[in-house]
Structure formats: structure tokens, C-alpha cells
């Protein structure tokens, strides 16, 4: 490393001079940094220098502070970071954050053309699956869950991964795994890196460096690799009749969806599920995904998985006082959670979603009580749930992703990354998630992503109460007054609707239900 | 027996005198017969003399011929039968057939009030289940399947059972079991009696003598007795995870349907299933039951059981070229098999039927390939299926129940006993059963009732072709001409529609589809 330093002649002074020159020209790139990071911060794979262009300003700043403080180790960057003043660092961070330099991409095609083409494609496929689907049975969300559907980054804490070199990405994951790099906010990347094998790390690194194929490469027929075996941990046993009772159900991998007319409908259902505002536009009134509440695209046990719901209907629902088919139950999600309008029974959207849920349930037993159904109950709190304690839990554990104002965050390219938890863009007062007990169950079993069950029951109840004590779109069953609506629909539920919180009666400031339909339609 | 004979002074001569007197008075009862059989033929339990009133004339005649010929043994009746002339027998048979004497009934209430009330009620419940539900896993159809829903008898071959004494019914079943009584048409009663335990025989005898409660007695909670263990045969193993792969699925007994809002809908679905022209009037255009093609109320493997169908949808259907939900599949039954109009999606009738099917599937694995689904394929025939050979098979094996003209038969009280196989009252040309291969599968696996798999594959194909080569209501997808309709919908199927048979082009004489709706509505 000192050799590299010498080669490019870096020093605190050189940087400072460059910075002064840049300031004068008000152009976006610092000359001496450019020796390694490229003329516009595009990065240099050959020098192991990451792309800086387009990274969030505060993220860049925090990295420099970490180099200076030793939480992030680099023989090259540490002296540079220590030599620069706070003002200089801020200026550099702003410059790089604004840079729009095209990323240096190791194309998949280029990789495939090489000698080890088959192996490379296998690695790329593994990376694509981890990046886009995750491996939830190991608490590994998809990389894109936090870094945006295209890896373009979300907010100030989730930098772009797309366009970084494979070597750099690999090195960072290894550094988190070995503890050489500080695990970052909520310790997220430390925990995640520990769940990755060496092969996983290479795979996701290659994937994000490759320019990211828009669709998953078709997995090899012979070895469906949707749920690859983690090297340090034995695979859960295959779904055998003997094991079916004890082991939780696991839905079949996408790779087994047949390539026929039925399979096309199942895939359409999965597309709707993951992006209803794109594929079911006109029926949704917010940007939420079905997979916002049903993680891993409806596969995750304890996150109201679709396979368990499918085999639990038809069933009587107190919510509407009659026996609901699965199709009618789906309609409820559109009306309440999606704050939209229910697609008609028999419409392509409902048929596709029902087909997708049916597919996920392949091999499941038909029963209303399949283990993993719904959200688990949370033990009652020692003290009654409290808004102010909940606010503290929220600030510490939730705001990183969902924002201080609960409005969620989009990825840079505009797709939803983290759903709005309250406000006009969230589920309305009629949604199940607006009931505190449901919210508590979801949160404890699933939040923060990859760190479920880390909040205590008390914290869980407090933060669920906090989330559900904010204004959101009106209950579409509104009876003319909040109190009448509460009496009819909310008194029997664990709902804050109609209750006074901080001097405001919840529901009285709600916008009309479904009112955002036009705004969301693409 | 001679003692009884002496006591009542019976002889051929006495009978003959009585007959003459009766003839003169033209009243309905023969005096000397009345000594045992009651003044109006109502029967005498005390003398073990069966009820004769209202029995079919030809049935009575055949019994007397059997007494005379020794196929039915009775020390009392044999000499009487031999002493009477053919004309006298015919006259007596007509007299009794016309009698409307009220039956002698051993009421359930009376039985229950006795010392062994609990045992009696248990026996009655067992009898009710056998009589009304059968025990299909042992090839035992319900008694009411052939003798009418209320045991009031069907046609000339299935006498009333209601109102006979328990002692008489028991004695006859024992006689069939021991071979003392000729097994009757198709050997039906001989085979059936062999599948009954001594307890079964007492139970059905008590049930039909009891005046037949309108609904099944509620079975004891502790021991769901829907599928009682036959004494000579070990019970199929309970549905365990280990056995699930090998053993065919068996749906839960009715006794487990919960007594709540959901259970009410399931029961409504079962009622519709068993009697759609009563419970789904307005949507059906014939008198068929769902259970006409889905035996044992949708429970029987190999008879298109509902539990296997439920877990096989949504699925692509070539019939309409898209993915059908289970609800849409149900609609098809109304449109074609029931020659009616599909209930709207979400309507109570469809929701109830879907709920019933879901209930039957409780515990089944979700898969399109559950063993027992649909009708099994029949091995191809050695010679091409032939109408004339089929006509002979039909006359020998089918006409007893479905009638020479294929129009089916009703029980005395008007409920459907045997469905129409062709003609205006049958399924229309669009129904699956109108395809010869489907019909062959159903017939071989299920017909004649209690004697499935007795027809050879050749006989099966011949009779299926024969059945499906008769006129029936038009295909509701009619395209303006039979040939156009055949090209569009029947060329790809094993259908005789549009084919010339006996000089007639099938489909050209069809009545309009769904045309009988008004006639059937109650």
C-alpha cells in the first residue's frame, strides 16, 4: 500500500492543493483523488479504488470519518482522511456525490466469453439470486431490498452497489466478515456478511460489477439453485412426508414454475406481488408492495406467507362477518393495505395472485393452521405500550430505513425501497397492519430486516403503538364520523383509530381513502 | 312356522276364497293374507310379516314367483305361492301395490325412551349413516341411493324400506348374507349384504323401521363414527404423515365440520352438492345432483372427488384456454353438467360449494396430481367401441337403474334417484361426461354402484359410446351449426357430437341448452 501511495504521490498536502484548485473551478472532481478513483470518481478496478461518483454525500463523509477514526481500515485512506479538515471533507463529499460519471462495468457477456464461462455464469446466477431474492431462511434479505431494486442506492445510508468493482465489493464484505470494517448502522452489514460464504461473497460481488442483467439468468435444470446450501450450515431437510409434520413448510423455488400457460400466470402473479403499482396499476392507492408485509415475496414463515394463507381459505372473517374465499381475501388487501380499489373477482390480477399463492402452496397441507401462518403473537408487554418510548425505539431501529417522518424511501431510480409506515402514502386505517397487535407481530418476527427478534416484546409493542398512532388515509368503510366508524369497526380491534394522541384524534386528519390512485398510476 | 300357519288357518284355498270376495268388493286387501300382513297390507312386526302396501306390483309378483320357485325360502309363503295361479298372483300384487295403508313405525323416540336408550341411539345413528351416507370405502353405497332419499322405493326393482319392521329387514339382509335368498337383479343385494356386519344389519333395520329422522342424529363427540370399523376387515390406517404418500387421501368425516359460521357455509355447500335443484334452483337446468358424478358427495376417489379437484386449481384448462380458479371450474359444472347458468363469482352458492370442497380437502397436499383425482383412464379396447354391443351392455347392467330410455328414475316422493343419462333431463353436449373417454373412466371405476370394475374395458368403452351417442341438450357454446360447433369444441375431444349415429347427426336434435330451467325450479 505505501508503494501505491508513493506511486501516485498522494499526501495531505497534494489533496489540499487539488481541493483549492477545484474549488476555484467549481468542477466536480478532485485531481489527486482522481489518480486512483478516476477523473470523475468513476473508480479504478485495477487499483482497487472504489467508485465515488454518485455516492451519497453523508455516506462519503462518514467513510472518511471512519478512515480517520480507524473504524474503517486503510493504509492509504487513513492518513488522507486525517489530513483533511472537516470543511475540506465536506466539500469533497459534495463534489463526488454530484458526479454523474458512468460506472466501470465488468459485463456479464465479457465474463461469459472467458475460459471459465460456465463457472462464471453459475457464479453470476448465484449472485443474482442472492442480490435480488436473498436467502431468507438464513435471515439474508436480498441486497436490493436495502440498496434499491437495481442496486442504485437508497438515501444516505445505503450506497449504490451497481458499478463498483467486484474486487472492491468482495474486499468490503470480507472486511465486515473479519471485523476489519465497522459493521455500520444497526450493525447490519456485519451480521449479513457473517451469513455469507466465500462463494456467496464472490457471487454478489461479480453480480453487482456485471451491469446486472435485468432478469435472473435461468438456473440450470439439473440443480435448482434457488436455495443453495450454505457451506457452514447443513441444509434443512427436503420436504419428505416424515419431516412434513415437524419442519416448517417451504415453498418450491421459482425455478420449478413450469414454462407453460399456467406458469406464465404464476409469474405474472409474482410480478404483481412484488410491484403492484406497476402491474396492478389502477387498483392500488399507494406505492407499497405486497412483499412489503409478506417478505420474501410471500414465502417467509411468520411474515403472513402466501402458502399458509392460501390453504386457510375459504374462512369466516369477523372483519366482514362472512365466509371469504381466498379471492375475496385478496380484494381486502387492495382495499385496505394498498389503499386502492379491489380488482373484480375473476379479473386477471386476482386470478394471477391466486395462482401465485397456489403455486407457493404446492405440497402444503390444506389447513387453517399451517405453522408459520400470519404474524406470530407477541407476549404481552410488562408495561402498557407507550408512544414516547415507541418514538425512541423508532428513531433508533426504524428511521434508518423508513425515514424520520415514516414516509419510507425510494431507490434512486424511483422504485420503492422502504414502505411508508404512515401518512398519505401508507396503508389506510382499515388495514390489518393498522391494528397494533398485528403490527407488533410483524415487527418482532421480521424487523429490522435481518435482525428480527432483536427488539424486546416491550420495545416491539411500544414501537407498534407509535407507528399506528400516526395519521394515515381514512378507513374506506367510513361511517360519516370517526367515532361512528370506530364503534362499528375498530372497537373490537387493537386499533388507535379515533383515539386522542398528542391532542389529535386519529382519523380526523385522514385524507380520503384511495385518494392517491391517480397519483400512483404509472 | 307350521304353528303360525295353523293359527291363522292359511291355505291356498282360503286365499283363493278371499281373493274371490275381494275381487267382488274391489277393495285393496286380501282377507287371509291380512291375517298376517294386516288389514290393508301394512304388515305385522309381531308376526314377522312384512308390509306389502305400496310395494311395486311387479316386485310383489317376482317375490311370489321366487317363493314358488325356491329362490326365496319361506315355509309359510312357498305353499301359498305355489297354490295360486298366475292370474291370482297378479291380482293380489295389484291390490297391495295400490294400498296406501300407513306404515307401522317403531319410532326413534320410543326406542330412545327405553332402558337401553343410549345404545339404541348409537345404533340408530349408525343405521342412519349407513342408510343415508353408505360406507363407500367398502363399496357400500347408501341404501337411499337406490331405494330413494326417504327409503320410499324407486321403480319396480327397489322396494320401499321405510315402514318395514326391523325384524323383517334384518331377516332379509341375513338371508342375502347367508345365501338363503337369491341375490336379486345384478346380484346387488347379495354383494351388499356380505359387506355388512351383524351390527350394521341391525342398525339399518332399526333405522328404516324408526320413521327415519329427517336429519342425521348428531354423532357423539368422543368417537366420530362416520367411518366405523367393519368387523371383518382392518381399518385403513389413520392419515399420518408417514402414510400420506402411500395411502390415498381420505377426507374428514362430516362430524368434524365445526358448529360455527364457517361450518354452516360448509354444510350449505354439502346440501347444494347433494341436491342442487333444491338449494341452487335457478342455476340448474336438470335434476342431476353434483353427487351423481362425484359419488359419496364428492368424497370417493376415482369419482372426481372434490378434495382432489380443490387442490388442483387454479389450473390451465384447454376447454376454455385460460387459467381457471376453482370457482370458475365450478361455474363450468353448472353451465354444462347441470345444463344451467353459472352462479356469479362470489355468490353464496359458489362460495358454499368452494367451502365444502375446501373442507373435504382438509389435510390434503396441494398438488394437481393427488392420487384419486378425476376418473381413471380405461385401457384402450381390443376392438373399436361399438354402439350395438354397448346397447347390450346397457340393457344388462345399466337399465335396471337408469331406465331403458336412459331417462333415469325418481324416488316415489319425487327426489332424484338415478340420473338421466341422455335426453332433455341430462347433462348437455358441453359436459365432460359427454366425452366418451371421461364417461368410460367414470363407468369403469364406479358403475354399477357397488360393482365397479366388473365391466371389462371393452364393455366399458362400448357402453360409454352407447350412452354418449344419444341426443341431449345443445352445447351452450353453439356456433350456429352443429358442424361449426364440433370443429371448434369437439374435434379435439373424444366426442360423438356432430357424428352420424343410426342415421341421425348427434346435436341436430338437441333442445336449447339450459332450456329446462323453469321446469326444474321449485
Amino acid at each position: 500500500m505505501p508503494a501505491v501511495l508513493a506511486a501516485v504521490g498522494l499526501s495531505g498536502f497534494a489533496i489540499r492543493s487539488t481541493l483549492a484548485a477545484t474549488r476555484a473551478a467549481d468542477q466536480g472532481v478532485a485531481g489527486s483523488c482522481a489518480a486512483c478513483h478516476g477523473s470523475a470518481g468513476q473508480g479504478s478496478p485495477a487499483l482497487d479504488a472504489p467508485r465515488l461518483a454518485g455516492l451519497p454525500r453523508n455516506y462519503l463523509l462518514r467513510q472518511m470519518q471512519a478512515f480517520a477514526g480507524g473504524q474503517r481500515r486503510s493504509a492509504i485512506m487513513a492518513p488522507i482522511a486525517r489530513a483533511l479538515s472537516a470543511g475540506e471533507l465536506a466539500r469533497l463529499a459534495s463534489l463526488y456525490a454530484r458526479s454523474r460519471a458512468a460506472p466501470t462495468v465488468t459485463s456479464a457477456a465479457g465474463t461469459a466469453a472467458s475460459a471459465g464461462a460456465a463457472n462464471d455464469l453459475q457464479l453470476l446466477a448465484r449472485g443474482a439470486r442472492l442480490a435480488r431474492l436473498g436467502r431468507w431462511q438464513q435471515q439474508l434479505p436480498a441486497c436490493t431490498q436495502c440498496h434499491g431494486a437495481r442496486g442504485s442506492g437508497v438515501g444516505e445510508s445505503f450506497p449504490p452497489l451497481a458499478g463498483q468493482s467486484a474486487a472492491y465489493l468482495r474486499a468490503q464484505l470480507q472486511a465486515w466478515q473479519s471485523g476489519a470494517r465497522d459493521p455500520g448502522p444497526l450493525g447490519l452489514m456485519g451480521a449479513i456478511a457473517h451469513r455469507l460464504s466465500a462463494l456467496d461473497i464472490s457471487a454478489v460481488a461479480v453480480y453487482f460489477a456485471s451491469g446486472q442483467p435485468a432478469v435472473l439468468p435461468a438456473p440450470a435444470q439439473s440443480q435448482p439453485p434457488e436455495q443453495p446450501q450454505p457451506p457452514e450450515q447443513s441444509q434443512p431437510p427436503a420436504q419428505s412426508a416424515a419431516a412434513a409434520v415437524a419442519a416448517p413448510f417451504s415453498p418450491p423455488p421459482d425455478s420449478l414454475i413450469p414454462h407453460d400457460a399456467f406458469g406464465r400466470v404464476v409469474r405474472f402473479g409474482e410480478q404483481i406481488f412484488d410491484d403492484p403499482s406497476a402491474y396492478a396499476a389502477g387498483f392500488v392507492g399507494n406505492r407499497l408492495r405486497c412483499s412489503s408485509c409478506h417478505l420474501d415475496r410471500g414465502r417467509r414463515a411468520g411474515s403472513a406467507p402466501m402458502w399458509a394463507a392460501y390453504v386457510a381459505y375459504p374462512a369466516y372473517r369477523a372483519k366482514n362477518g362472512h365466509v371469504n374465499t381466498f379471492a375475496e381475501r385478496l380484494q381486502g388487501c387492495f382495499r385496505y393495505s394498498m389503499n386502492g380499489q379491489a380488482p373484480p373477482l375473476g379479473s386477471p390480477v386476482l386470478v394471477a395472485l391466486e395462482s401465485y399463492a397456489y403455486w407457493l402452496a404446492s405440497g402444503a397441507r390444506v389447513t387453517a393452521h399451517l405453522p408459520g401462518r400470519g404474524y406470530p403473537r407477541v407476549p404481552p408487554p410488562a408495561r402498557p405500550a407507550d408512544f414516547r418510548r415507541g418514538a425512541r425505539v423508532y428513531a433508533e431501529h426504524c428511521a434508518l430505513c423508513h425515514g424520520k417522518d415514516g414516509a419510507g424511501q425510494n431507490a434512486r431510480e424511483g422504485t420503492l425501497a422502504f414502505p411508508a409506515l404512515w401518512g398519505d402514502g401508507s396503508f389506510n386505517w382499515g388495514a390489518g397492519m393498522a391494528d397494533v397487535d398485528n403490527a407488533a407481530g410483524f415487527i418482532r418476527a421480521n424487523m429490522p430486516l435481518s435482525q428480527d427478534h432483536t427488539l424486546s416484546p416491550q420495545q416491539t409493542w411500544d414501537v407498534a403503538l407509535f407507528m399506528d398512532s400516526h395519521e394515515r388515509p381514512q378507513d374506506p368503510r367510513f361511517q360519516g364520523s370517526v367515532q361512528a366508524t370506530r364503534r362499528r369497526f375498530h372497537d373490537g380491534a387493537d386499533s388507535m383509530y379515533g383515539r386522542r394522541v398528542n391532542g389529535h384524534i386519529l382519523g380526523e386528519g385522514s385524507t380520503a381513502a384511495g385518494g392517491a390512485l391517480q397519483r400512483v398510476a404509472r
Side-chain angles (χ1 to χ4, degrees), chain A residues 178-517:
Chain A
S178 68
R181 181 170 171 182
D182 181 87
L186 299 184
L188 283 169
M189 286 311 300
I192 284 173
H194 274 96
R195 296 169 195 156
L196 296 172
S197 69
L199 190 62
D200 292 336
I201 286 176
S202 289
V204 291
V206 164
Y207 173 74
F208 280 109
S210 73
Q212 305 163 66
V215 294
L216 286 181
Q221 288 289 344
S222 53
Q223 38 174 5
E226 287 279 331
Q227 303 174 343
Q229 182 156 349
E232 301 85 1
Q233 191 171 325
S234 66
Q235 184 81 335
Q239 194 75 11
S240 74
V245 175
F249 176 75
S250 99
D254 278 4
S255 57
L256 294 183
I257 298 175
H259 293 277
D260 59 13
F262 174 66
R264 280 193 291 278
V265 172
V266 171
R267 280 177 228 274
F268 180 47
E270 185 168 17
Q271 286 176 308
I272 298 167
F273 200 86
D274 197 48
D275 198 355
S277 59
Y279 294 98
F283 299 117
V284 297
N286 58 36
R287 296 288 302 278
L288 272 53
R289 304 173 189 269
C290 305
S291 45
S292 296
C293 296
H294 309 274
L295 297 180
D296 196 15
R297 299 161 302 135
R299 292 167 172 269
R300 182 171 160 84
S303 179
M306 286 299 100
W307 40 267
Y310 184 79
V311 295
Y313 286 89
Y316 176 84
R317 293 193 81 207
K319 183 162 186 169
N320 53 24
H322 62 263
V323 169
N324 293 208
T325 61
F326 187 72
E328 184 177 359
R329 180 65 191 81
L330 287 175
Q331 289 183 312
C333 283
F334 280 91
R335 192 166 180 221
Y336 303 114
S337 301
M338 308 306 297
N339 191 35
Q341 287 165 3
L345 292 172
S347 64
V349 164
L350 281 196
V351 172
L353 284 170
E354 183 168 344
S355 298
Y356 176 56
Y358 167 74
W359 164 257
L360 289 177
S362 300
R365 278 184 309 117
V366 174
T367 168
H369 308 290
L370 208 59
R373 183 184 174 195
Y375 305 134
R377 297 285 95 183
V378 181
R383 292 177 292 174
D386 180 81
F387 182 93
R388 291 210 292 180
R389 282 199 311 267
R392 286 197 294 274
V393 174
Y394 183 84
E396 194 176 336
H397 298 276
C398 316
L400 175 73
C401 296
H402 295 285
K404 287 179 187 172
D405 58 357
Q409 293 191 77
N410 289 344
R412 298 230 171 155
E413 77 275 10
T415 58
L416 177 81
F418 303 110
L421 302 187
W422 61 83
D424 286 356
S426 188
F427 51 90
N428 68 38
W429 278 112
M433 196 63 87
D435 290 343
V436 177
D437 51 356
N438 284 334
F442 172 75
I443 291 167
R444 181 151 159 84
N446 299 289
M447 290 287 128
L449 282 181
S450 81
Q451 305 194 340
D452 51 87
H453 296 91
T454 56
L455 297 181
S456 70
Q458 184 68 57
Q459 287 176 306
T460 303
W461 283 104
D462 290 342
V463 78
L465 178 86
F466 173 77
M467 174 178 89
D468 280 342
S469 296
H470 286 85
E471 207 51 282
R472 56 183 66 261
Q474 188 53 269
D475 191 325
R477 302 164 297 181
F478 192 62
Q479 301 285 298
S481 82
V482 166
Q483 289 314 319
T485 308
R486 171 158 185 99
R487 274 194 303 277
R488 175 115 182 241
F489 298 113
H490 295 263
D491 269 346
D494 190 2
S495 168
M496 295 298 289
Y497 181 85
R499 291 273 167 78
R500 184 180 296 273
V501 173
N502 297 332
H504 169 72
I505 293 185
L506 291 166
E508 294 203 337
S510 293
T511 49
L517 277 178

Side-chain angles (χ1 to χ4, degrees), chain A residues 91-264:
Chain A
R91 179 85 184 156
L92 271 169
S94 294
L95 287 174
Y96 282 115
R98 284 203 299 270
S99 170
R100 291 288 169 268
T104 309
V105 161
T106 313
S107 82
T111 309
S114 76
N119 281 344
D120 288 353
L121 272 183
Q122 274 201 344
L123 193 67
L124 195 65
R126 185 185 187 96
R129 282 188 299 276
L130 272 171
R132 301 164 66 94
L133 307 177
R135 193 162 66 217
W136 289 82
Q137 67 270 41
Q138 261 193 297
Q139 313 286 78
L140 268 177
C143 307
T144 56
Q145 192 95 23
C146 293
H147 293 273
R150 297 179 202 162
S152 63
V154 177
E156 301 217 312
S157 296
F158 301 96
L161 304 179
Q164 291 294 14
S165 73
Y168 175 73
L169 292 171
R170 191 185 299 113
Q172 300 315 305
L173 288 165
Q174 288 166 342
W176 276 308
Q177 201 172 52
S178 68
R181 181 170 171 182
D182 181 87
L186 299 184
L188 283 169
M189 286 311 300
I192 284 173
H194 274 96
R195 296 169 195 156
L196 296 172
S197 69
L199 190 62
D200 292 336
I201 286 176
S202 289
V204 291
V206 164
Y207 173 74
F208 280 109
S210 73
Q212 305 163 66
V215 294
L216 286 181
Q221 288 289 344
S222 53
Q223 38 174 5
E226 287 279 331
Q227 303 174 343
Q229 182 156 349
E232 301 85 1
Q233 191 171 325
S234 66
Q235 184 81 335
Q239 194 75 11
S240 74
V245 175
F249 176 75
S250 99
D254 278 4
S255 57
L256 294 183
I257 298 175
H259 293 277
D260 59 13
F262 174 66
R264 280 193 291 278

Side-chain angles (χ1 to χ4, degrees), chain A residues 19 22-23 26-30 33 40-41 52-65 84-101 156 412:
Chain A
L19 195 62
T22 308
R23 202 179 280 141
D26 198 29
Q27 52 188 46
V29 181
C33 306
L52 304 180
L55 265 65
R57 177 183 177 280
N58 285 348
Y59 180 83
L60 287 168
L61 261 186
R62 282 205 305 274
Q63 304 317 306
M64 293 302 275
Q65 290 155 0
L84 293 168
S85 72
E88 284 162 342
L89 285 174
R91 179 85 184 156
L92 271 169
S94 294
L95 287 174
Y96 282 115
R98 284 203 299 270
S99 170
R100 291 288 169 268
E156 301 217 312
R412 298 230 171 155

